[in-house]
Each structure stands twice: as structure tokens, then as C-alpha cells.
Amino acid sequence: MAMTIDAPRAKTPAKKNTNWEKWGWIYMRVSGVLLVVLVFGHLFSNLMIGDGISAIDFGFVGGKLANPFWMVWDLLLLWLALIHGANGMRTIVNDYVTRPRLNKVLRTLVWLSAALLILLGTLVIFTFEPCPPGADPALVASFCATR
């Protein structure tokens, strides 16, 4: 009986594809929990603390956006909510749009619109200036020092 030695098989590298559906599913769960905390914290701080809804005006918003804590809070709320919503819309498009070209166009539009809103919202959060220097005192809010 002759013994043969098998030649070692060349290992083919495993294809490493990212499972975007899995990561999208995980993102929806994690961001959903974070959004619940962020939204209820936002509502509680705006409606329950202080004078409630009657205190919400331009000065209130200006004061909150001057505080770095609330800037980060609002930024997280903005980014998580828009990406969460865009991911949900992507899922709906994938489920109901069967024509491949239209599917791709709609998904691209969803992500572009989310990216544009994230960009604009982020700019507002970081560049909001309720009391611009050199502004006409008649046009600025009553709490500004130029008035």
C-alpha cells in the first residue's frame, strides 16, 4: 500500500465584504435608543425647567446655543436623527422600488438630501450669533449689549 502525501491546498483569500444591511440594522437600534434620550432630554430642558413653553423665544435659543454642552447635544440630535431617518428611507426604497436604476437614483437623493441638511444644520449650530457685532441696535434682540 503506497502512501501519498497530499500537497497543501493553496488558500484562497476570503472575500471581505462589509455587510451594510447588518450595520444599518445595528445603527437603527443604537441611534433609536440614543435619540429617545436626546429628544426627551431636549423636551424636558425646554418645557419643564424654568418657565416652560412661555420662556421659549429667540433669547432662549440664543442662550442655549451659546453653551457648548447644548451645542453638542443639538449636534448629536441633528446628526443621529437625520442619518436614522435617511437609513429608514433607504430601507423603504429597497423594499418597494424594484427597478434597479430608479432604486439607485432614489437612494442617492435620500443620502444627498440628508447630507445637505446635516451640513446646513451643523453650520447653524456653530455659526449662530444672536448679537452680531456692528449690527443696527434696532434690529438685534433686546438682550444684546449693543441695544
Side-chain angles (χ1 to χ4, degrees):
M1 182 166 179
M3 294 181 88
T4 59
I5 299 175
D6 291 335
R9 293 184 186 176
K11 289 186 178 181
T12 57
K15 236 181 168 183
K16 295 200 178 196
N17 289 335
T18 303
N19 187 347
W20 291 111
E21 287 299 321
K22 177 183 87 170
W23 287 109
W25 185 87
I26 291 170
Y27 176 81
M28 293 301 273
R29 273 64 190 167
V30 173
S31 66
V33 171
L34 291 173
L35 281 168
V36 166
V37 172
L38 290 170
V39 167
F40 281 110
H42 177 83
L43 291 173
F44 183 79
S45 71
N46 289 345
L47 302 178
M48 305 299 279
I49 296 175
D51 294 334
I53 197 167
S54 61
I56 298 177
D57 59 3
F58 184 79
F60 179 83
V61 174
K64 280 190 88 168
L65 287 178
N67 183 335
F69 173 81
W70 289 112
M71 288 174 70
V72 170
W73 187 284
D74 288 344
L75 188 71
L76 282 172
L77 189 58
L78 172 80
W79 278 66
L80 287 172
L82 283 170
I83 295 170
H84 185 95
N87 194 31
M89 288 302 299
R90 178 197 60 82
T91 302
I92 291 170
V93 168
N94 280 342
D95 286 348
Y96 292 106
V97 180
T98 57
R99 295 186 356 212
R101 180 175 266 159
L102 181 60
N103 184 299
K104 184 170 181 134
V105 167
L106 290 176
R107 284 186 293 127
T108 301
L109 289 174
V110 164
W111 288 115
L112 286 175
S113 62
L116 178 66
L117 290 172
I118 287 171
L119 176 69
L120 293 175
T122 302
L123 283 172
V124 168
I125 289 171
F126 286 111
T127 62
F128 182 74
E129 180 61 56
C131 303
D136 181 7
L139 299 176
V140 297
S142 60
F143 60 84
C144 293
T146 58
R147 197 145 202 224

